[in-house]
Structures are given as structure tokens and as C-alpha cells.
Amino acid sequence: MEIGGIAMRNPTGRAGRTFLGTGRRWRSARKDVVGTGLAVRALMAAEKRDGRTVEIGTSNRPVNSDKLNVLHGIQSSVPIVEEAKMETDFQRKTKIVCTIGPSTNTREMIWKLAEAGMNVARLNMSHGDHESHQKIIDLVREYNAQCKDNIIAIMLDTKGPEVRSGDLLRPVLLKEGQSFNFTIKIGVNSEDTVSVNYDDFVNDVEVGDVILVDGGMMSLAVKAKTHDMVKCKVIDGGELKSRRHLNVRGKSATLPSITEKDWEDIKFGVDNQVDFFAVSFVKDARVIHELNDYLRSLNADIHIIPKIESADSIPNLQAIISASDGAMVARGDLGAELPIEDVPSLQEEIIKTCRSMQKPVIVATNMLESMINHPTPTRAEVSDISIAVQEGADAIMLSGETAHGKYPLKAVKVMHNVASKTESIMSNDTLHTPDKAVQYVGGGDFSQGHMSAMFALHATTMANALGTPIIVFTQTGSMPVLLSHYRPSSTIFAFTNEERVGQRLTLYQGVLPLYMQFSDDAEETFSRAIKHLMNGGYLRKGDYVTLVKSGIRSIWRDDSTHHIEVCNIQD
């Protein structure tokens, strides 16, 4: 059974005799495929001889897994590769999520954010009402209708079971060493006592616990408690205002992850066909299964991104991400409920876990916090962005910086510039090895998914060796996701005829989704795609591209054959 074909195409779009215009033929009669202990059939190369296409070195035998694959070892086995390197304009691959709020909720600002680099618009349901969020959804949809080559996805972020202090008549100044109390009684707002919105707060805390206000801006030690009051001593003081967020270090509240308000907001998101739900304070996989069941009951095609921000979520990390469509590293509450020095290693662990499961991961919170009030970031913030990119995050997020900050556009531009610079100097060492890729996807079984993953790896290796962007046509998004997983050095142009698929692909590192109707004629569709990219300035005459025809579902293929082709672009 053939699992692939490799063809070098000439300007007319047919398989050509010459390799990348050098006048040198593909000389290898046969190369063995790295099978990682699997019985994999040999790949094939094709060239034009006397007007007919000839397959070179086909084989029906299991290949030798000890030898280098023609694609994996292309730089050593095909010495002319270096001559074929092409210069491409660098495009940022790490995506940017922007929270929309009072500073950016106008048509003008949505357009400017999109042009500055926003890929996903985040609706924070902790603020605003459905009417204000509906306005933002409508504006993003209007932008997408006008600017089809720069798709903006919509993420609805649930409020979750937040524990907050009550309203105060005026701010209370807390000083180190003074006594201060939290009560479950409603409406208390004196100089030394304030209400909390959570009836079980007294039961959740113990003497000796540390209560953090706004993620640690202030802290209080629990000294005693009664049936309705928690008595504390201020450790780190500050100005306590109304409705401040409260955490107990090392503990998660026993509230449900999805509250009654959250279910109302989720229904609002379903009605508006948002692309992602970011679910706050997920503790285990059960809430993900519950939400998935609800979405299936409504035939809603919306991906779930759990926010990893509670102490309880860490022991259940594998199960949570496995049940989900990605994850968000929500470092604010994560650093409040767990020791703050653990946050960097937890961020790295969450990113690695998502990468191993081929699921997108977002790094969030405080990335450019200083730019809420200042036009330039701290150097530590710049390093923070760069580290997230180097660790392999698919996306990085702005919260207050774009929601209510003074310099939202500058914040996006800083994030864009830092991510772009970091990516431009990164080597291909971040790519997965063939062993890891094959073992994970197939688990040792020679399956359709296994073949697709293997071809995504080979396509990435070939594109990196030749310095070409990748073009892929997809109806499900499966192949662009696999290609993104292996982090090719150039852009993945993912053409799809499914708008929902294109919007979801916006979150994946390195993928530029482009909406286009497909025809029954593969060559005609490919020609239109090339023309589209040339008109958009993505490609120039004489450029080379790696074309991938592979995936779980066939578009034009009559069987399960996969193809990787390198094509020279002409008028």
C-alpha cells in the first residue's frame, strides 16, 4: 500500500524532471523510511521522463527503521537542498489573545487591534453584560466579513466561582499587624469587618491559613473563626476596595466550577456561535465532560479551553487537558493558590502537556501589566513574553492591558514585536523527534491517524530543509493541527471551506487559516489558492511551496494515499 508520494513540480504544475530549478535530477533510487519499529511502506519520488511520470524506488516491503528517511535526512542525502533555500518574509507564529473592554470596545479599536496583531478577541464575562458583549461579537463578525485573510476568533471566558469581598462605603486602609474580619453575614462594611459572597467561606478556611486579596496585593493570616466570621491579622497591608478577589493559599473553594451565571453566559455563547469557551477554575475533568455533554445536546461546535488556575487542577492536569481542546495557563490565581515560585515550572509543565497532546495552550496574566498605565513595558515583562514563546505556547494573552489600559495598541505591538523577534532567532531544536511523534499518535498501531502524523512530520522536515511555506487544504482542521504541532519554520497556509474550522485554527501556532470554496478539481483549487496568496503578497513568482495532501478525511483522494509535493510558483 502506498502511503505517500513526493513530487517536484515545475512551473506548469506537472511533475518535473528537474529538482528545484537546479538542473539536477533526483538521483536516489530508493531511501528507507524511519519506521520506528513499524512496518511502514516506502515513500516514493516521481519525475517526468519522456512525457510520463515515473515512480522511483517503490517498494511493497516493510522498510528498515534503522536507516534515515528520505525526508528526515534530506539535508544529507540531497546535497542540493542548500541551493534551493528561499527567502521569505517572516510572519509571527505565536498568536495574540486580546481582552476587549472599555478601552477597545468600539469599531475603530477592534479594527486597529486586528491590524496590530490580535488573533482572538476575548470576552471577559466577569465584567459587562450580554448587551455589551453582543456588540463586540457583532463588530468582530463585521471585521471578519470584510477582512477574510485575517480571521479573528471569539473566546468567551466564564467568570467562574470567584470568592469576593463585599461592597464598602469607602476604601479601608489595612495596616500590618491590625485585626480585620471577613463575615458571611450580608451587607457588613465597617472599618474592621467586611462581608464575603460565599456562605461556606468559614468552613473552607482554617486557623493558620493565609488569605490573599487580589492575588497577593494584600495578605492576612487567619487567627480564629466563629460560625459566621473569620478573624485575621494583616500581614501585608494596603487599600481594600469593594468586591476584591479572595484566595486561600494552597486551597480551592468548594464551589462548582460552572455557576448559574456561567451557564447563562455559556448559553449566550452558544446562541452567538463563539469559537472557544475558556472555563474558569476547572478542578477536574468532570466539569469538562459535563460542558461537552451540554454542547452536544445543543449541537454546538465550540471548543473548550480550561483555565488552569486552582490548586486542585494540578494533580488532575493530564485528565483535564485530555478531556479538553486545549488549556490556558492562568497565572494570577495559580500563583495565589500555590507558592508563587512554583508558577514558572507549572507553566512549563502545562505547555509540555498540551504540546504532547497536540492541543493549543495560552499563557495569560500580567504579561504586560505595567502597560496598563505606562507606554513601555518592564524588561522583565519582555523576557516573560519571550520565555512563553520559547517554551512553545500557541498563544499569549493580554487582559487589562487591552480591556481598560491606557495603551492597548502599544501593548499589542510590543507583544507582536517581542514574539516575532524571539521566533526569528529560535532554532528548529523545538521540533519533536520522529520517535516521539510516531509513538504518541499511533501508539505502535499503523493507523490512519498514525500515517497523518508521520506525514505532518515529514512535510515539516521537508519544508524546513527547503525553506518553503506549507499549503494544506482541510475540511476538519486535523492536518493543520498536526503540522502546527511539529512547529515548521515557515507559515502554514491552511485553506478551508468551513468557516468554523478556520476560526478555530486561528489559535494554533504558525497556522494562517484562509477561507475558500473548494471545487471538485484539485488542480483548479490549488491554482486559485496560489493566486490568492500571490495577490495577498504572501508569495512571489519563482517561490517554492510545500503542498500537503493528507489528513483524516479525504477531500480529492479516492483512497488513503498521502502526498507531499514541492511546487514552483509561476504566473
Side-chain angles (χ1 to χ4, degrees):
M1 179 180 66
E2 175 195 353
I3 63 170
I6 308 169
M8 313 311 298
R9 298 176 64 171
N10 65 13
T12 63
R14 297 185 297 272
R17 185 182 181 96
T18 59
F19 179 57
L20 294 183
T22 63
R24 301 183 62 171
R25 301 172 187 172
W26 187 286
R27 297 182 182 278
S28 175
R30 181 178 182 273
K31 294 290 181 181
D32 291 318
V33 180
V34 175
T36 321
L38 302 171
V40 183
R41 306 299 185 187
L43 292 162
M44 297 187 300
E47 66 172 14
K48 197 80 168 180
R49 291 180 183 170
D50 302 324
R52 59 192 181 93
T53 299
V54 179
E55 296 172 354
I56 303 175
T58 60
S59 172
N60 288 323
R61 300 187 303 277
V63 300
N64 187 339
S65 63
D66 296 330
K67 297 183 179 179
L68 288 177
N69 176 266
V70 63
L71 293 178
H72 180 63
I74 193 166
Q75 286 177 298
S76 59
S77 62
V78 187
I80 61 176
V81 165
E82 290 303 317
E83 302 174 27
K85 290 280 188 180
M86 61 178 272
E87 297 296 326
T88 57
D89 294 329
F90 187 82
Q91 294 181 332
R92 172 175 49 83
K93 299 176 182 63
T94 306
K95 304 308 178 71
I96 296 176
V97 180
C98 295
T99 305
I100 309 301
S103 295
T104 49
N105 62 0
T106 64
R107 185 181 188 277
E108 179 185 10
M109 286 304 297
I110 294 291
W111 259 248
K112 287 183 176 180
L113 285 174
E115 297 306 316
M118 175 177 70
N119 303 108
V120 180
R122 172 179 174 251
L123 310 178
N124 185 357
M125 305 309 287
S126 295
H127 305 283
D129 53 22
H130 286 181
E131 182 179 358
S132 63
H133 291 304
Q134 183 70 61
K135 174 187 173 184
I136 296 167
I137 291 172
D138 292 343
L139 287 173
V140 173
R141 295 273 162 76
E142 182 185 350
Y143 176 85
N144 284 340
Q146 293 184 17
C147 309
K148 294 184 179 296
D149 283 1
N150 189 27
I151 299 172
I152 306 299
I154 299 173
M155 174 180 291
L156 187 151
D157 194 327
T158 65
K159 180 180 179 180
E162 295 180 329
V163 179
R164 290 186 177 270
S165 60
D167 289 318
L168 292 167
L169 296 176
R170 55 186 171 274
V172 174
L173 183 63
L174 301 182
K175 297 182 180 179
E176 180 182 349
Q178 83 172 74
S179 296
F180 192 82
N181 310 312
F182 296 97
T183 179
I184 60 174
K185 291 182 179 179
I186 299 173
V188 179
N189 53 20
S190 67
E191 290 294 318
D192 64 357
T193 306
V194 68
S195 299
V196 294
N197 66 344
Y198 174 37
D199 291 341
D200 280 337
F201 187 70
V202 174
N203 298 327
D204 278 4
V205 302
E206 302 292 340
V207 173
D209 284 345
V210 175
I211 297 173
L212 302 178
V213 180
D214 284 345
M217 296 297 102
M218 291 168 275
S219 60
L220 305 91
V222 178
K223 295 299 182 181
K225 64 178 188 174
T226 67
H227 71 285
D228 63 0
M229 185 175 292
V230 176
K231 300 181 178 182
C232 304
K233 182 178 180 179
V234 177
I235 301 173
D236 298 306
E239 189 177 64
L240 180 67
K241 299 179 181 180
S242 297
R243 302 183 186 182
R244 296 298 89 192
H245 187 43
L246 305 178
N247 294 96
V248 179
R249 176 164 285 160
K251 293 183 177 180
S252 300
T254 55
L255 288 164
S257 294
I258 301 180
T259 66
E260 184 176 341
K261 170 181 165 42
D262 292 336
W263 285 114
E264 293 174 359
D265 292 339
I266 287 169
K267 181 60 168 61
F268 169 78
V270 170
D271 291 342
N272 281 280
Q273 296 184 313
V274 300
D275 304 299
F276 303 98
F277 284 130
V279 184
S280 299
F281 296 101
V282 173
K283 303 172 189 176
D284 54 46
R286 287 178 295 179
V287 67
I288 304 299
H289 294 306
E290 181 182 8
L291 180 53
N292 263 322
D293 290 342
Y294 173 75
L295 295 177
R296 276 194 293 268
S297 72
L298 297 177
N299 197 30
D301 183 20
I302 301 174
H303 280 199
I304 300 173
I305 307 294
K307 295 168 68 177
I308 309 300
E309 56 186 336
S310 69
D312 291 344
S313 66
I314 300 305
N316 302 313
L317 186 62
Q318 291 276 346
I320 291 171
I321 296 177
S322 179
S324 307
D325 300 297
M328 181 189 294
V329 189
R331 302 178 300 180
D333 284 292
L334 191 62
E337 294 199 3
L338 293 168
I340 197 166
E341 60 269 22
D342 290 348
V343 172
S345 59
L346 289 172
Q347 171 176 311
E348 186 176 10
E349 179 185 355
I350 295 165
I351 291 173
K352 284 182 177 178
T353 302
C354 287
R355 290 289 308 280
S356 71
M357 296 185 187
Q358 302 172 19
K359 297 185 178 183
V361 56
I362 306 165
V363 175
T365 320
N366 304 133
M367 300 212 80
L368 289 173
E369 187 80 2
S370 69
M371 291 194 72
I372 291 176
N373 294 306
H374 302 284
T376 57
T378 67
R379 305 319 181 244
E381 289 169 336
V382 170
S383 295
D384 184 35
I385 294 171
S386 181
I387 288 169
V389 172
Q390 291 177 61
E391 288 179 342
D394 287 84
I396 43 186
M397 193 174 95
L398 295 168
S399 300
E401 301 94 330
T402 51
H404 58 83
K406 295 179 181 178
Y407 306 98
L409 293 176
K410 286 187 176 181
V412 176
K413 290 175 182 176
V414 166
M415 185 165 270
H416 166 81
N417 290 338
V418 174
S420 297
K421 180 64 175 180
T422 302
E423 292 169 3
S424 70
I425 61 176
M426 285 172 65
S427 70
N428 290 331
D429 292 341
T430 54
L431 292 175
H432 286 344
T433 65
D435 287 359
K436 289 182 180 178
V438 174
Q439 286 174 359
Y440 168 68
V441 177
D445 295 330
F446 190 59
S447 63
Q448 176 70 35
H450 187 119
M451 289 192 295
S452 295
M454 185 173 63
F455 260 78
L457 174 63
H458 291 331
T460 296
T461 306
M462 173 174 271
N464 286 348
L466 303 178
T468 68
I470 297 174
I471 297 177
V472 59
F473 299 90
T474 183
Q475 292 177 322
T476 66
S478 61
M479 181 51 63
V481 168
L482 284 170
L483 289 165
S484 172
H485 173 67
Y486 296 119
R487 298 298 195 256
S489 57
S490 296
T491 303
I492 304 163
F493 295 110
F495 285 90
T496 181
N497 59 352
E498 299 288 341
E499 289 189 12
R500 298 288 290 170
V501 171
Q503 286 162 202
R504 280 201 298 268
L505 288 174
T506 299
L507 187 58
Y508 287 85
Q509 200 262 18
V511 178
L512 178 60
L514 298 163
Y515 179 76
M516 187 179 76
Q517 287 292 338
F518 299 161
S519 70
D520 293 335
D521 187 332
E523 289 297 323
E524 188 272 336
T525 302
F526 174 68
S527 296
R528 281 194 290 117
I530 292 298
K531 184 177 180 181
H532 184 94
L533 293 175
M534 293 184 73
N535 290 340
Y538 298 109
L539 295 176
R540 299 182 296 268
K541 180 179 178 180
D543 285 348
Y544 289 86
V545 297
T546 297
L547 173 63
V548 178
K549 297 179 180 178
S550 178
I552 299 299
R553 184 187 300 175
S554 171
I555 299 176
W556 296 288
R557 293 178 281 114
D558 295 329
D559 51 32
S560 60
T561 301
H562 300 238
H563 292 276
I564 306 170
E565 302 176 17
V566 174
C567 310
N568 179 229
I569 305 304
Q570 299 294 334
D571 291 336

